[in-house]
Amino acid sequence: MRSSRRPTAFLALLLAACSISAMQAQSAPSPDAPPVSNVPDTPDETAAPATTLRVNVNLVSLFFTVRDKHNGLIPTLAKSDCSILEDKHPETIKNFSAESDLPLTLGILVDTSGSQQNVLPLEQQAGGEFLRDVVRAKDQAFLVSFDVGVNLEQDFTNNVSALTRALDKTEINTGAGSGQVGVPGIGQGPVPTQGAPKGTLLYDAVAQVSSQKLGTETGRKALILLTDGEDMGSETKPAQAIEAAQKANAIIYVILIADRPFYGMHTTFGYSGDAQMQKLSSETGGRVINVGNNGKKLEDAFAQIEEELRTQYLATYTPTNTKLDGSFRKVDISCKGDGLKIQARKGYYAIGEAQ
C-alpha cells in the first residue's frame, strides 16, 4: 500500500508544479509585448477635458506700468480698473496685482563699439550705481558687451561687486580686420565668423541674449541697452530681435547715449540710431530714454528705470483663442482714468507654453 501511494503523490506534485509554471507564463509579458495598463478603461467623453485643462493653464502674463497725463506713475489701480483685448477680443483677467517686490532677472547690454569711446566711462560709473541700487539678494543680473562680437562679461549673479567689476573692465573694441578671426560669443567661447567686417552687433546681441539667457527664465525680465542705437553687421534683422525678446517676455529699455560729434567726424550719413530703438523698446513694453552724452541725464535715466521696475502691475489671463499655433497675438491693455498711458508689450507668441 505504501509503495503504491508514492507515485500517486509524486504525480500530483508534478501536475501542481506544471500548473504554477503555466500561470506564471501567462502573467509574465513578452519583452516585445506592448505595456499593459491596470487602470480601468474610461469612456472617450472623460478624455476631452484633459486637453482643455492643459490649454487653460497656459496663462498669459503681462507686466505693465501706468502713467497719468502728467507722466507720473500710478501704483494704486485695481483689477476692475483695467481691461485686456487679445486680437480685439475681450479677455477675462484672472489675477491682477501691483508688483514691487517680485524677483527680477536683469540683463545689462553695453555697446563697446568705437562710437562709444567718449561715453563708456559715464556708462560704467552710472551703471555701477544703478546695479548697487536695484539688484537685491533674490534678483539675478548679467552683463554683456557687444561690438564686433557679443561677449558675456558676467553671468547670472546677485553679487553686485562682481557685476560692477565686470562693467568697469569693459573696453572699446573697434575690431580691426576682415572678420575672418573668431570673436567672443555669448557662451564665452570663440565663434568664428566670415564675411564683411563687423562693427556693432546690436540686434545679434538682443536676439542671442533673449533666446539663450532669458528664454528659460520666469518672472520679471528686463534688458537695459546702453547704446547709440547704430547697428553695423548684425545678421539679425530688427524685427527678428523684437520677436526674440517678445518670445522671452523681456522688457527692453534703451538708454540712448550718443556722442553726436563722433558721427560728424567719422561718418558720411550722420546719426540715425533712435528710430529703430523706439520700435525695439515700445514693442516689448519698455521705452527709450535719450541722454545724449550728459552724465546727469544718464543717472536720471537709470533712476527712472529703477522706479518703473518697482512700480509694475502684473495681469494674467487665459486666452479665449486656445490654438497653440505659434502665431503672434496682439494685446491691448486699457485702464480707467483721464489721460492714462499704458506701457506694456504689444503681444505674445502662442508657442504652446505659459507666456
Side-chain angles (χ1 to χ4, degrees):
M1 294 293 293
R2 189 174 298 172
S3 61
S4 64
R5 290 176 181 171
R6 286 178 182 170
T8 304
F10 175 78
L11 181 59
L13 290 172
L14 181 61
L15 290 172
C18 292
S19 176
I20 292 173
S21 176
M23 291 173 62
Q24 290 176 338
Q26 290 176 357
S27 61
S30 164
D32 297 326
V36 178
S37 172
N38 293 321
V39 179
D41 291 338
T42 54
D44 290 342
E45 290 78 9
T46 60
T51 301
T52 304
L53 178 61
R54 284 196 296 271
V55 172
N56 285 343
V57 298
N58 187 30
L59 291 176
V60 174
S61 299
L62 296 170
F63 289 95
F64 64 98
T65 55
V66 182
R67 292 182 178 273
D68 60 25
K69 59 184 178 181
H70 303 295
N71 213 36
L73 287 166
I74 299 178
T76 56
L77 295 174
K79 180 167 72 172
S80 57
D81 295 319
C82 299
S83 59
I84 295 175
L85 299 178
E86 180 177 304
D87 290 338
K88 299 183 179 180
H89 187 282
E91 302 289 351
T92 301
I93 298 176
K94 285 184 172 290
N95 300 294
F96 185 95
S97 58
E99 297 293 352
S100 61
D101 201 41
L102 276 180
L104 173 66
T105 302
L106 180 67
I108 308 291
L109 277 65
V110 182
D111 185 343
T112 48
S113 61
S115 61
Q116 298 298 89
Q117 179 76 56
N118 295 331
V119 296
L120 181 59
L122 298 176
E123 296 171 349
Q124 291 168 327
Q125 179 180 349
E129 294 174 1
F130 170 76
L131 289 167
R132 283 187 284 272
D133 289 340
V134 78
V135 177
R136 303 165 303 178
K138 60 184 177 180
D139 299 327
Q140 292 287 310
F142 63 92
L143 177 71
V144 166
S145 66
F146 60 93
D147 38 62
V148 297
V150 181
N151 193 54
L152 181 64
E153 304 288 355
Q154 172 60 56
D155 208 344
F156 286 116
T157 184
N158 59 8
N159 186 326
V160 176
S161 295
L163 289 163
T164 54
R165 281 196 302 270
L167 180 59
D168 289 340
K169 288 180 180 178
T170 55
E171 297 178 342
I172 297 298
N173 182 8
T174 56
S178 63
Q180 298 294 326
V181 297
V183 295
I186 194 67
Q188 303 185 79
V191 178
T193 60
Q194 293 183 348
K198 306 297 183 181
T200 310
L201 304 187
L202 191 160
Y203 298 124
D204 283 352
V206 171
Q208 289 182 36
V209 165
S210 297
S211 60
Q212 298 178 29
K213 302 302 294 180
L214 296 180
T216 58
E217 299 297 314
T218 58
R220 294 193 307 153
K221 294 177 279 189
L223 293 177
I224 299 176
L225 273 65
L226 290 156
T227 180
D228 55 19
E230 295 284 357
D231 181 278
M232 182 182 294
S234 281
E235 294 182 2
T236 305
K237 303 301 182 186
Q240 293 172 319
I242 292 171
E243 179 179 338
Q246 288 173 329
K247 286 182 176 178
N249 196 8
I251 300 170
I252 296 180
Y253 287 94
V254 179
I255 297 180
L256 207 62
I257 180 164
D259 182 18
R260 302 282 178 129
F262 172 90
Y263 294 93
M265 292 184 295
H266 295 87
T267 70
T268 305
F269 303 105
Y271 175 73
S272 61
D274 50 356
Q276 286 293 346
M277 294 302 97
Q278 292 286 352
K279 186 171 181 61
L280 181 66
S281 58
S282 65
E283 291 289 326
T284 60
R287 64 189 180 100
V288 172
I289 306 176
N290 194 336
V291 302
N293 58 359
N294 186 302
K296 181 62 171 66
K297 288 183 177 180
L298 178 59
E299 293 175 5
D300 291 343
F302 275 120
Q304 291 174 42
I305 293 172
E306 179 185 359
E307 184 181 21
E308 287 187 17
L309 291 174
R310 302 303 181 200
T311 318
Q312 287 182 313
Y313 293 99
L314 172 60
T316 64
Y317 69 94
T318 300
T320 304
N321 183 352
T322 59
K323 294 179 181 179
L324 304 178
D325 54 7
S327 64
F328 183 76
R329 310 285 171 78
K330 191 176 186 301
V331 176
D332 293 295
I333 304 175
S334 59
C335 297
K336 299 174 184 176
D338 182 24
L340 297 187
K341 293 172 286 187
I342 312 296
Q343 186 176 306
R345 59 173 170 157
K346 303 302 183 184
Y348 72 99
Y349 286 86
I351 54 177
E353 57 186 25
Q355 298 294 317

